[in-house]
Amino acid sequence: MTSPEVQTGTADSMKAVPVRHPWRWVTAVVIAVLAAMLIHSLAFSTVQRGGESRHRWEWNVVGSYLFDQRILHGVSRTLLLTVLCMLIGVVLGTILAVMRLSQNPIVSGSSWLYIWFFRGTPVLLQIFFWYYIAAIYPHLSIGVPFGPELVHIDMTNAINKLSAALLGLGLNEAAYMAEIVRAGIISVDEGQSEAASALGMPRLTIMRRIVLPQAMRVIIPPTGNETISMLKTTSLAFTIAYTELLYSAQLIYAANYKTIPLLVVAALWYLAITSVLYVGQYFLERRYGRGTVFAQPDDSFVQRVARMFLIQRTHRAAATSLSSRSDHPR
């Protein structure tokens, strides 16, 4: 049987070697080199035009148009269109989701038919359809079925560029929001609805006070993504000459031929607005995810890099400590 002294000496003579991850460093170096090349191209790349050297990206033109009045006007109209379309999408989508879950087959089938149609056709086609709807229905009347008319609407005047964009984008968004809200509702345990129903609570009250508040933690993340997507999808309104951000940039570069700088201006504004929306989505998720893993803050890129270096440093320190113990046996 081996003596304790021999066992101790054998353990002290062991040398701990930290796990190597060479490919992590190779990948990091490759990405760093590519990033440096991209930054160099953006900052210092030049081209010969008209016998003189000019910056390829023309950042001076970008800076001069970044806060141009026409661009700011396009930004404001893009934000207006985004907010109104999402409002239509969320309200109508919630109604459609509740209808889809109804026990009435006619109500449920109507909701399914709406979702099927608007998810199955391109949003650009829907924008065109509403913009030219007056060609089919020049007049719209509301009144008693097969009886007298109470309200008469001239569709030629009612459907302008803004209303066509709102109808095309908002009604399409409602179909997607209906599925998002429905997924959130069915994620809540049915036992809670059954218990509330046993206490005599009406179905709409159960939905408003019990189901929807809990479903928000499932609904908020995809709704934030839909809002960001809607912001960018509003650029399709340029096809009907609605002067949102992209179309405003197009009108300017059609006159001065500075196509790339004006597209960069539009891209910078889209990135700035989506960054703000990202922050808002993060705090909304934290707010409705309290008490769950959703409330735990995500590590930032800097924190992950710092943690990687800290782990490497800890491994080296542990290896050095074990090596020193093996060099000085008891």
Side-chain angles (χ1 to χ4, degrees):
M1 187 173 180
T2 308
S3 63
E5 290 77 12
V6 176
Q7 291 180 355
T8 304
T10 303
D12 290 339
S13 63
M14 294 175 61
K15 184 177 181 181
V17 179
V19 179
R20 308 289 183 182
H21 299 285
W23 287 109
R24 291 185 183 179
W25 296 103
V26 171
T27 305
V29 170
V30 171
I31 293 175
V33 171
L34 293 176
M37 293 172 62
L38 176 62
I39 293 172
H40 181 271
S41 175
L42 293 175
F44 304 106
S45 179
T46 59
V47 63
Q48 295 291 331
R49 291 179 181 174
E52 60 180 9
S53 179
R54 297 182 181 180
H55 197 281
R56 192 180 300 273
W57 291 90
E58 298 184 90
W59 292 111
N60 58 327
V61 179
V62 173
S64 63
Y65 283 101
L66 190 60
F67 296 100
D68 186 90
Q69 191 65 32
R70 292 164 291 181
I71 294 295
L72 294 179
H73 177 71
V75 171
S76 64
R77 301 194 74 173
T78 293
L79 291 174
L80 174 66
L81 194 57
T82 301
V83 172
L84 293 179
C85 289
M86 284 307 301
L87 184 62
I88 295 172
V90 170
V91 173
L92 183 56
T94 304
I95 296 173
L96 289 169
V98 175
M99 291 173 60
R100 182 78 185 277
L101 297 172
S102 174
Q103 300 297 325
N104 189 321
I106 297 178
V107 174
S108 177
S110 300
S111 174
W112 178 88
L113 188 63
Y114 179 98
I115 295 170
W116 167 79
F117 177 80
F118 282 94
R119 292 179 66 188
T121 53
V123 63
L124 183 59
L125 183 149
Q126 296 173 34
I127 294 174
F128 282 140
F129 177 82
W130 289 110
Y131 188 62
Y132 296 111
I133 191 66
I136 304 175
Y137 296 105
H139 304 285
L140 181 65
S141 60
I142 302 175
V144 179
F146 308 105
E149 298 179 358
L150 301 178
V151 179
H152 182 80
I153 302 174
D154 184 2
M155 296 296 289
T156 305
N157 297 325
I159 299 297
N160 53 23
K161 297 172 184 177
L162 176 60
S163 58
L166 284 175
L167 289 171
L169 296 172
L171 297 181
N172 178 268
E173 182 62 31
Y176 289 92
M177 283 303 306
E179 292 298 285
I180 292 173
V181 174
R182 186 173 70 91
I185 291 174
I186 63 179
S187 69
V188 180
D189 187 6
E190 292 184 3
Q192 300 188 40
S193 300
E194 294 174 355
S197 179
L199 293 174
M201 294 181 66
R203 179 176 173 81
L204 290 179
T205 304
I206 295 172
M207 186 66 64
R208 180 169 55 89
R209 294 188 176 182
I210 296 176
V211 177
L212 284 179
Q214 297 182 74
M216 290 301 289
R217 66 182 56 175
V218 178
I219 295 173
I220 287 296
T223 302
N225 293 336
E226 287 295 314
T227 304
I228 294 171
S229 178
M230 176 60 70
L231 173 72
K232 296 175 289 186
T233 308
T234 55
S235 61
L236 293 178
F238 86 93
T239 56
I240 56 174
Y242 179 76
T243 52
E244 41 75 50
L245 175 56
L246 180 60
Y247 190 60
S248 299
Q250 288 178 320
L251 291 176
I252 297 174
Y253 72 64
N256 61 12
Y257 303 105
K258 300 292 185 180
T259 305
I260 296 300
L262 267 300
L263 291 177
V264 171
V265 168
L268 291 176
W269 272 109
Y270 280 121
L271 287 172
I273 300 171
T274 52
S275 299
V276 174
L277 293 177
Y278 278 134
V279 175
Q281 178 183 355
Y282 171 78
F283 284 106
L284 276 177
E285 291 180 13
R286 291 283 303 276
R287 169 67 176 80
Y288 286 100
R290 290 178 300 179
T292 66
V293 294
F294 295 102
Q296 301 299 322
D298 298 329
D299 289 342
S300 65
F301 171 76
V302 176
Q303 289 173 325
R304 290 197 297 269
V305 173
R307 186 171 62 249
M308 182 181 69
F309 280 103
L310 180 61
I311 291 173
Q312 293 291 333
R313 183 176 178 181
T314 304
H315 286 170
R316 291 195 188 96
T320 304
S321 176
L322 290 175
S323 299
S324 62
R325 288 177 59 187
S326 63
D327 293 338
H328 300 84
R330 284 178 276 180

